[in-house]
Amino acid sequence: MFEFLSERAQDILQRTFGAQVSDVQWVYADQKGFGDCSTSIALQLAKKLNRKPTEIAEKLAEKLRGSAGVERVEVAGAGYVNVWLTPAALLAELHVTEKACTPQPVRKEEGPVIIDYSQPNIAKPLGVHHILSTVIGQCLCNLHRHLGTAVVGWNYIGDWGTQFGKLATAWEKWGKGKPVEKHTLDELLELYVRFHAEAEKNPALEDEARAAFLKLEKGDRKLRSFWEGVVRATKASLGAIYERLHVHFDTDIGESFYEDKMQSILEEGKKKQVFVKGEEGALVVLFEEESKLPPFLVQKGDGATLYATRDLAQIRYRIDTFHPQAILYVVDVAQQLYFRQLFAAAKRLDWELPQLEHVVFGRMRFAEKAMSTRKGTALKLEHVLDEAVTRAKEVIAEHRDSIQTDDEVALAEMMGTGALVYGILSQNRRMDLVFDWKKVLALEGNSAPYLQYTHARARSVLRKAGAKDETLPKDTSSLTASERVLFSVLLGFPEVLQEACTHRMPHMLANYLYRLCQAFNAFYNVEPILKASKDLRSLRLSLTSLTATVLKTGAELLTLRVPERM
Ligand code: ARG
């Protein structure tokens, strides 16, 4: 951004202070009174040049004044230089934003980023909490791809473990001879819940379940085909929900895949003396005192492997197969310690590792209801999605006079699911989330319906103008206050995409889109667009068109959809 200003500033600093600066960063300022963009270069150079930051800033400002494209310059605070650009220069910069709306070609020379997300344990329906990892992960996939990074989106399903022994036992006993594949996920869940209830009265069931899982591990034909049936049934039903959320994976290789890939890791770890004998013949990794990490269990005394063992085997497999530059694990805060241990253990094995990162998120609860049913089972995601759509229908009905649509069913689906997803992604993921239906479905405020409504409003202006691809005018002598604000918010888009991606923070993008909606609506409410004189009309239509494109691009990166009409 603002390349011409960077070059100009570099030149000035070189001539005035003899300072060699390779890159003067201008960040766009979207707050009133700070100009269109601002640099802190004076603060950065102060020590090196042995001068006061304000002195450097003043000199820089003085020389920038009168430069082509510059309307006004001010020094602020401890030594910031704020610049107001001329309308012509702003117009030229808008092309950068326009370009940022199309995906960049993928950079094939660097390895992909693997994003591990959603990861449900199968054989039960998705609970509402699953939506967090699912949409945060999908948004991060979208952002990386859009910015030209190759991505492997990975649904690491929990399709292995002792729970399958329990389920098989329950199915044998109470499944009434019905084939697995004929069971709905709810029925499978019921069997599982029943197992736990009965096992409390009859602990011998636990032994039976353990034996069943052991048989499954050894490859028992009947149990194997039972397990395959469960996996197939689950995947089919998950697919429908993912579709509704616009979520797509590149692979869903799950835990079972690593069954035959753990032994070699265990051998390697023992040989390198990273895995050592712990209590009762177990294998553990012990970390240095300073790390404060507790021992990490990789094999139980009876030889059984664990979640951790599979994750280690998986890191090895991912490195060998994909040569990734990074692996992001989008998993809730409950596993924070676990991932610290996992990454530390992988490092101890002396593997050449990609960047390993736990993209952590907090817990979610509803303002007005519990996250689980009275029976103690989790609230189902499917039901919550349906509730969102029902509530969206009510909002549409309430605003019949202002909302126009030719497809109410589609709009309600888009608004309802969008409200749920946006309600999550617009919050800082590190914080716990209190989910409030009223807030997320409001037509005003930082919500999906507001975003969708604003997009539809912009599109409606463009339809009425009959304008196709309005091209930006080359020049304009002045800008009104609301035009200028809209301009500078639009200018910020490329940088926001980059920031949201590098910090893995979808809410930075969501909050930006909200600011853009506000700036657009403020502009729309005061400036005539269709009735303006020819030049103004053309300028305002291009601002409107670019706003619509940015809103749509941004919304889709957040996994939302926006309507043409509303
Ligand atoms: N299925 C796991 C769970 O529900 C989450 C998996 C996270 N990913 C990973 N590679 N460990 O707890």
Side-chain angles (χ1 to χ4, degrees):
M1 295 283 285
F2 311 112
E3 240 166 74
F4 75 99
L5 272 187
S6 298
E7 276 167 27
R8 185 83 190 95
Q10 261 158 254
D11 194 47
I12 294 170
L13 292 168
Q14 156 85 54
R15 279 162 197 262
T16 322
F17 301 107
Q20 290 285 357
V21 210
S22 55
D23 192 16
V24 179
Q25 295 280 350
W26 290 90
V27 297
Y28 103 101
D30 67 337
Q31 274 166 303
K32 277 197 197 119
F34 291 103
D36 299 307
C37 56
S38 153
T39 184
S40 60
I41 189 73
L43 295 151
Q44 295 161 39
L45 285 179
K47 222 185 188 153
K48 210 161 113 205
L49 298 179
N50 199 16
R51 285 170 201 265
K52 283 210 204 87
T54 43
E55 185 195 337
I56 304 172
E58 285 296 352
K59 265 272 171 312
L60 180 57
E62 186 189 311
K63 301 259 153 108
L64 275 173
R65 283 186 193 110
S67 292
V70 173
E71 195 171 272
R72 200 171 122 209
V73 189
E74 269 177 18
V75 173
Y80 292 92
V81 178
N82 298 339
V83 170
W84 282 254
L85 299 175
T86 62
L90 283 172
L91 276 171
E93 287 293 328
L94 275 194
H95 289 292
V96 183
T97 294
E98 213 168 16
K99 253 187 41 210
C101 291
T102 32
Q104 284 171 32
V106 42
R107 290 182 298 277
K108 294 217 185 72
E109 65 285 2
E110 54 181 48
V113 170
I114 293 178
I115 304 184
D116 180 319
Y117 66 112
S118 197
Q119 325 114 327
N121 295 330
I122 65 161
K124 42 183 155 191
L126 285 187
V128 61
H129 59 279
H130 281 115
I131 196 176
L132 295 168
S133 171
T134 304
V135 298
I136 295 170
Q138 187 63 50
C139 175
L140 296 179
C141 287
N142 296 349
L143 278 168
H144 278 89
R145 282 204 185 98
H146 189 85
L147 296 173
T149 304
V151 170
V152 182
W154 197 313
N155 190 7
Y156 178 52
I157 55 177
D159 60 357
W160 203 244
T162 48
Q163 73 267 31
F164 287 94
K166 296 178 184 172
L167 192 57
T169 307
W171 175 67
E172 283 270 327
K173 289 199 177 343
W174 312 303
K176 303 195 189 95
K178 188 155 96 172
V180 236
E181 290 172 63
K182 290 258 151 52
H183 282 70
T184 62
L185 290 194
D186 284 324
E187 288 167 337
L188 289 178
L189 180 63
E190 243 165 62
L191 284 174
Y192 193 66
V193 170
R194 175 147 180 207
F195 176 89
H196 282 279
E198 306 249 354
E200 236 162 69
K201 290 177 265 165
N202 175 13
L205 278 174
E206 297 279 2
D207 297 328
E208 253 181 80
R210 245 190 304 277
F213 182 61
L214 206 66
K215 264 168 86 185
L216 173 62
E217 276 188 307
K218 296 236 162 77
D220 178 271
R221 282 264 300 283
K222 200 164 151 226
L223 279 159
R224 193 84 201 169
S225 96
F226 164 79
W227 173 80
E228 279 163 6
V230 174
V231 173
R232 254 199 308 276
T234 317
K235 281 192 185 172
S237 111
L238 293 181
I241 293 196
Y242 288 139
E243 204 53 53
R244 260 179 110 173
L245 291 170
H246 315 289
V247 165
H248 300 277
F249 304 97
D250 298 300
T251 173
D252 59 4
I253 287 180
E255 294 191 36
S256 64
F257 180 76
Y258 298 98
E259 262 307 276
D260 62 356
K261 297 175 181 57
M262 286 182 283
Q263 213 45 50
S264 60
I265 306 289
L266 290 172
E267 293 308 322
E268 180 182 345
K270 279 191 278 191
K271 210 156 100 212
K272 291 182 172 168
Q273 291 174 0
V274 176
F275 300 166
V276 294
K277 283 263 179 267
E279 274 165 44
E280 294 171 33
L283 276 184
V284 295
V285 183
L286 300 173
F287 301 104
E288 323 72 74
E289 191 103 23
E290 313 86 78
S291 75
K292 297 218 173 70
L293 291 174
F296 191 50
L297 187 62
V298 294
Q299 187 178 37
K300 288 198 208 159
D302 63 5
T305 54
L306 301 109
Y307 181 57
T309 331
R310 288 188 278 279
D311 255 329
L312 281 172
Q314 157 145 276
I315 292 178
R316 186 70 259 161
Y317 176 77
R318 285 172 169 174
I319 295 175
D320 295 341
T321 314
F322 295 96
H323 313 290
Q325 53 172 303
I327 307 177
L328 311 186
Y329 297 83
V330 188
V331 182
D332 82 43
V333 59
Q335 295 191 31
Q336 201 157 34
L337 175 62
Y338 168 76
F339 279 109
R340 267 198 232 129
Q341 291 173 299
L342 176 68
F343 299 164
K347 207 178 274 160
R348 287 282 298 282
L349 284 169
D350 219 11
W351 292 345
E352 215 173 288
L353 293 172
Q355 183 196 344
L356 298 175
E357 186 178 336
H358 178 198
V359 178
V360 73
F361 56 83
R363 300 204 169 89
M364 171 181 179
R365 66 185 173 80
F366 285 98
E368 344 150 359
K369 72 168 163 219
M371 289 286 281
S372 49
T373 63
R374 245 176 306 151
K375 272 196 251 155
T377 49
L379 212 55
K380 286 205 296 177
L381 178 54
E382 194 187 351
H383 290 165
V384 176
L385 280 171
D386 290 343
E387 177 174 357
V389 175
T390 308
R391 286 173 182 263
K393 277 189 193 131
E394 286 162 19
V395 174
I396 296 173
E398 257 169 59
H399 297 83
R400 260 285 138 57
D401 39 341
S402 53
I403 293 183
Q404 298 153 6
T405 172
D406 28 19
D407 190 347
E408 214 171 287
V409 177
L411 182 64
E413 173 73 23
M414 191 189 276
M415 239 170 95
T417 53
L420 180 61
V421 170
Y422 188 91
I424 292 164
L425 293 182
S426 58
Q427 301 300 308
N428 184 328
R429 62 172 163 79
R430 291 181 178 279
M431 314 285 214
D432 285 346
L433 175 86
V434 181
F435 192 84
D436 182 348
W437 282 115
K438 278 204 197 64
K439 207 176 120 212
V440 303
L441 275 160
L443 280 174
E444 290 287 328
N446 193 3
S447 70
Y450 180 61
L451 174 77
Q452 291 165 328
Y453 188 68
T454 307
H455 175 263
R457 187 179 234 188
R459 298 293 309 157
S460 147
V461 175
L462 296 166
R463 262 195 314 275
K464 282 185 198 139
K468 271 223 179 75
D469 304 318
E470 195 69 40
T471 48
L472 289 168
K474 290 263 162 345
D475 204 355
T476 171
S477 51
S478 66
L479 292 173
T480 66
S482 71
E483 281 170 351
R484 191 174 269 281
V485 174
L486 181 54
F487 249 107
S488 60
V489 178
L490 281 170
L491 286 180
F493 185 54
E495 201 172 297
V496 164
L497 285 184
Q498 203 65 58
E499 294 243 295
C501 187
T502 27
H503 297 286
R504 295 66 165 108
M505 284 294 195
H507 81 288
M508 291 180 169
L509 173 57
N511 291 342
Y512 166 82
L513 296 175
Y514 177 48
R515 285 203 301 278
L516 179 57
C517 287
Q518 287 177 305
F520 175 75
N521 285 316
F523 155 81
Y524 175 95
N525 290 336
V526 298
E527 314 292 358
I529 302 175
L530 297 172
K531 294 204 175 96
S533 67
K534 190 166 165 286
D535 268 4
L536 272 183
R537 180 183 144 108
S538 148
L539 170 74
R540 289 176 186 170
L541 281 174
S542 8
L543 287 177
T544 305
S545 157
L546 189 53
T547 300
T549 310
V550 171
L551 288 180
K552 185 170 155 80
T553 307
E556 290 181 357
L557 290 171
L558 292 173
T559 78
L560 264 61
R561 295 297 178 266
V562 287
E564 286 295 302
R565 259 173 236 282
M566 172 168 167

